């Protein structure tokens, strides 16, 4: 198995690295801070046991440092990622430390003599640090770092350093890592309480955040564990916690619960009561979410030691009448009473959010992010560590707010996914199944469309993006995006893209501009009906709105609905069609009607996948599908990665295999189904003729969106593509200049040659009346 890159060295990343390393995998642990450990290193105790945080974390940090299979890259960030699962090339940029890591002993003599003091981010600003420093005493690696931005080059540290480990100059370094898998564990950052200005953060010195309180309570923190007012250093008579600051707040576009704030406040309230029994402690809350093992009991313990809980959130914090303290009014929503409090210390339980680097990293990796900014996993319930890109996994708070136990479990799960995927022997080397990956999606960070560029497969797996309708049309016409169902999804997202990029002096002008762009998308590939269907469906919803903002939102929501429906349809088609395939059969397919041609799963290949998942042994013969070889390049790539037996043949070999009894069934997709014909990739018709001659069933798998009851075969324009697709391969000219070329993209197969059509509603057999076709589906369990 190849190396694995873990991005982020908090507790989740550390757990992932250790689990993989203990299985013999070389792990590169990349952390942008000078030390590993993440936010857990800042905490005093952990809930619900009140165990020392560093007593849990520090041994893991040391294990990482000492493990022979782990390479630590601190002060480092991922610059770019190339390749695909099993063959990633990760370029890492290491920022200068200005320290000779071999010579430095971490003794700290340079820190003692440094005269410069600056804001200490590790202490959340409650304390200060020197211009040459270690983040904390248990840092790993146990080496100092010089802050070149604040260093005044006084020279004292150079003289104090016996080993002469401090460098006058240092430069950034780039390292390229060959990896089979990547785990993203970039963690979180806390909400900026200044954005909730009525609560007085930075206006009143005695309004602090929960993270600042953590550093005050911590015995190794800047106050030595002493709780005091920042204004005068005195012990407060009362402390109040205000919950959900930057969480569950739609006015700030932050509707999510941050998961840890309730329990963190309860923990710190209990610690305050333990050290200072005379201090009155009150927690103001909307709901107490004590959901984990032992959490409800912990909540009850807090009540028993005298922590007061009041259901209600203060609207603002004001100066008292004397101007020397604070006061606020709050309604107890359980009793209806309004109280006025004058606390000595106000603690804002700030929510957590993805780091600033998460969105940038997701863009480099071609991963979608949610509206919340967290990285989107494959499924919120069934697959919380997988991503749409094979070989890339996500763990910890990079995917959603999580506490320490959940982050540790998530890191372990991602590690085993990376290990198991790369150990998969059935698929291609280093391959991870792609059946559930997304082919095309909307990326919030891009405000545009991301998709797998199918022209580069199978040699390169690349995620491309488009932020303009012109780029989308080019991608469709160049076949970077291809396949009838996914063209419907692309058409829908294309209208949304037009809505987000078009402008107008009035809504009417804006609407006309969007309609014009929608028309251009619709005509970019005339034969595939799904494209125009997706465009028209989203456009119809768009035209109902009367203002720009609502129109944009409606268009994007409808496009997402089309994408979700397509995935569900493909799975239903697969389940319905799997009943048609006997065990130990060989199936011929033409072109590519798999996950790459849909949002995921596939139509014709979806039937095969479903049959395999039912335990049937299915072998696939994939026609190469000239001239662009979608069968050889795409179908073979998909099935090989899913571990399904596949063999590629020339298109003209299919008839010979049918004649010699080596094909049991033919399954193809469809780009359009009219009243009398099935339009699919050129070459489909000859397979249907041969199949009928040799009494082999010929099945068509397609969603209802592919049906066009308004036309017959002769009313459909068959796309004719350019000469160069046939005449030139690579840099070699195969056809002499001046010789004409006919290069049709599709052909029409008469309905009389089709044995059955497999849709999401069931299996339908002849005679086919397209107007009543959908009203009489065959039960899916019928053989």
């Amino acid at each position: 198995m190849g190396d694995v890159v873990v991005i982020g060295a908090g507790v989740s990343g550390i757990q992932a690295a250790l689990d993989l390393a203990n299985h013999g995998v070389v792990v590169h642990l990349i952390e942008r801070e000078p030390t590993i450990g993440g936010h857990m290193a800042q905490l005093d105790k952990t809930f619900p046991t009140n165990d020392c945080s560093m007593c849990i974390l520090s041994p893991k940090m040391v294990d990482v440092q000492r493990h022979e299979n782990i390479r630590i890259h601190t002060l480092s960030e991922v610059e770019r990622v190339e390749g695909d699962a099993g063959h990633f090339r990760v370029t890492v940029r290491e920022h200068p430390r200005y320290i000779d890591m071999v010579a430095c002993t971490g003794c700290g003599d340079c820190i003692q003599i440094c005269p410069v003091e600056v804001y200490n981010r590790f202490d959340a600003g409650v304390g200060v640090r020197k211009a040459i420093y270690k983040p904390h005493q248990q840092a790993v690696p146990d080496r100092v770092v010089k802050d070149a931005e604040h260093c005044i080059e006084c020279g004292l540290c150079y003289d104090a350093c016996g080993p002469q480990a401090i460098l006058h100059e240092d430069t950034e370094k780039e390292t390229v890592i060959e990896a089979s898998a990547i785990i993203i564990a970039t963690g979180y950052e806390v909400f900026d309480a200044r954005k909730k200005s009525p609560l007085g953060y930075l206006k009143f010195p005695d309004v602090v955040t929960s993270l600042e309180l953590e550093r005050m309570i911590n015995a190794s923190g800047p106050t030595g564990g002493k709780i005091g007012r920042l204004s005068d250093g005195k012990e407060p008579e009362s402390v109040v916690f205000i919950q959900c600051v930057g969480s569950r707040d739609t006015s700030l576009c932050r509707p999510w619960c941050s998961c840890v704030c309730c329990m963190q406040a309860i923990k710190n309230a209990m610690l305050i009561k333990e050290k200072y029994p005379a201090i009155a402690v009150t927690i103001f809350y909307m709901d107490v979410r004590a959901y984990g093992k032992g959490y409800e009991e912990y909540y009850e313990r807090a009540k028993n030691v005298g922590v007061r809980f009041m259901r209600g959130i203060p609207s603002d914090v004001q100066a008292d009448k004397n101007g020397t303290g604070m006061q606020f009014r709050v309604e107890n929503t359980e009793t209806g009473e309004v109280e006025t409090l004058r606390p000595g210390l106000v603690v804002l339980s700030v929510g957590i959010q993805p780091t600033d680097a998460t969105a940038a990293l997701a863009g480099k990796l071609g991963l979608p992010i949610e509206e919340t900014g967290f990285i989107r996993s494959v499924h919120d319930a069934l697959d919380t560590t997988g991503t749409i890109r094979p070989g890339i996994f996500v763990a910890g708070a990079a995917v959603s707010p999580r506490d320490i136990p959940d982050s540790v479990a998530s890191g372990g799960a991602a590690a085993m996914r990376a290990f198991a995927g790369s150990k998969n022997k059935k698929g291609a080397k280093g391959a991870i199944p792609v059946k559930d990956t997304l082919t095309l999606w909307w990326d919030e960070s891009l405000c545009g469309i991301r998709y797998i560029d199918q022209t580069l497969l199978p040699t390169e797996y690349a995620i491309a993006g488009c932020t303009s309708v012109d780029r989308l049309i080019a991608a469709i016409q160049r076949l970077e995006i291809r396949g009838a169902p996914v063209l419907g999804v692309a058409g829908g997202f294309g209208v949304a893209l037009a809505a987000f990029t078009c402008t107008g002096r009035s809504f009417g002008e804006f609407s006309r501009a969007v309609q014009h762009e929608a028309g251009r998308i619709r005509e970019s590939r005339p034969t595939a009906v799904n494209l125009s269907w997706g465009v028209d469906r989203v456009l119809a919803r768009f035209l109902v709105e009367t203002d720009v903002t609502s129109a944009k939102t409606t268009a994007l929501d409808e496009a997402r609905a089309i994408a979700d429906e397509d995935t569900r349809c493909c799975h239903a088609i697969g389940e319905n069609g799997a009943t048609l395939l006997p065990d130990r059969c060989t199936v011929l397919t033409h072109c590519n009607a798999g996950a790459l041609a849909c949002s995921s799963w596939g139509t014709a290949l979806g039937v095969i996948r479903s049959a395999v998942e039912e335990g049937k042994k299915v072998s696939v013969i994939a026609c190469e599908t000239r001239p662009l070889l979608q069968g050889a390049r795409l179908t073979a790539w998909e099935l090989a990665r899913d571990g399904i037996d596949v063999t590629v043949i020339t298109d003209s070999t299919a008839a010979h295999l049918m004649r010699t009894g080596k094909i049991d069934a033919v399954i193809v997709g469809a780009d359009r189904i009219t009243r009398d014909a099935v339009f699919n990739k050129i070459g489909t018709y000859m397979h249907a003729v041969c199949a009928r001659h040799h009494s082999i069933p010929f099945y068509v798998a397609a969603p209802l969106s592919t049906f066009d009851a308004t036309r017959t075969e002769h009313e459909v324009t068959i796309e004719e593509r350019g000469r160069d697709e046939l005449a030139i391969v690579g840099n070699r000219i195969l056809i002499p200049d001046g010789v004409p070329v006919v290069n049709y993209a599709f052909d029409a197969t008469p309905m009389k040659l089709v044995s059955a059509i497999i849709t999401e509603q069931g299996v339908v057999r002849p005679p086919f009346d397209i107007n009543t076709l959908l009203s009489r589906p065959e039960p899916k369990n019928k053989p």
Side-chain angles (χ1 to χ4, degrees), residues 338-593:
V338 177
E339 297 187 22
T340 300
L341 285 85
R342 295 176 176 81
L345 188 67
V346 175
V347 182
L348 307 180
S349 290
V350 288
I352 63 179
Q353 63 192 27
T355 63
D356 290 338
T358 298
L361 179 61
K364 293 173 184 176
L365 296 174
L367 299 178
I369 61 173
E370 298 175 346
E371 293 180 5
T372 59
F374 294 99
I375 294 175
R376 178 171 292 164
S377 60
V378 170
H379 195 284
D380 290 338
L382 302 179
D383 189 355
T384 59
T385 58
T387 69
I388 64 158
R389 283 200 66 180
I392 300 180
F393 305 94
V394 63
V399 70
S400 67
R402 287 193 169 116
D403 61 10
I404 292 170
D406 285 350
S407 293
V408 171
S410 175
M416 290 303 98
R417 287 288 301 279
F419 179 77
S422 294
K423 294 290 283 185
N424 179 12
K425 300 299 184 182
K426 294 180 69 179
K429 180 182 177 181
I432 295 173
V434 296
K435 58 188 178 183
D436 290 320
T437 61
L438 293 178
T439 301
L440 182 145
W441 65 96
W442 182 268
D443 187 342
E444 292 286 348
S445 63
L446 183 70
C447 195
I449 300 169
R450 295 273 189 193
Y451 60 91
I452 300 172
D453 185 345
Q454 300 187 38
T455 62
L456 302 178
L457 291 169
T459 56
E460 182 179 350
Y461 181 99
I463 303 297
C466 55
T467 55
S468 70
V469 171
D470 286 343
R471 181 67 187 89
L472 176 63
I473 290 173
I476 291 172
Q477 293 178 338
R478 294 171 187 166
L479 303 185
E480 295 172 19
I481 302 168
R482 50 143 302 277
V486 81
L487 284 175
V489 177
F493 279 127
V495 176
L497 182 61
F500 277 88
T501 54
C502 288
T503 58
R505 289 169 294 182
S506 64
F507 179 74
E509 186 175 309
F510 162 74
S511 178
R512 287 189 293 274
V514 172
Q515 292 178 65
H516 173 74
E517 295 296 86
R520 295 177 59 219
I521 298 169
R522 187 189 294 110
E523 297 301 321
S524 58
R525 290 206 74 188
T527 308
V529 70
N530 299 67
L531 179 60
S532 58
W533 171 84
V535 169
D536 292 341
R537 174 171 159 178
V538 174
L539 193 60
R541 291 295 307 276
F542 170 86
L543 293 174
V544 172
E545 303 297 341
T546 56
D547 66 89
V548 173
T549 300
S550 298
K552 290 179 178 179
T553 302
T554 297
L556 185 54
D557 288 346
E558 188 66 15
R560 283 174 168 154
I562 290 175
D564 292 341
E565 289 170 15
D566 181 64
T567 298
R568 291 195 298 271
C569 285
C570 287
H571 280 273
I573 288 169
E575 292 174 7
N576 293 335
T579 60
L580 301 174
L581 298 183
D583 191 18
R584 299 182 183 277
C585 65
T586 299
V587 177
L588 177 81
T589 189
H590 189 67
C591 196
N592 172 262

Side-chain angles (χ1 to χ4, degrees), residues 636-652:
W637 181 81
E638 279 196 42
L639 295 179
R641 288 191 168 243
D642 283 0
I644 296 174
D645 181 44
V646 58
T647 301
V648 176
I649 62 171
T650 62
D651 295 345
S652 53

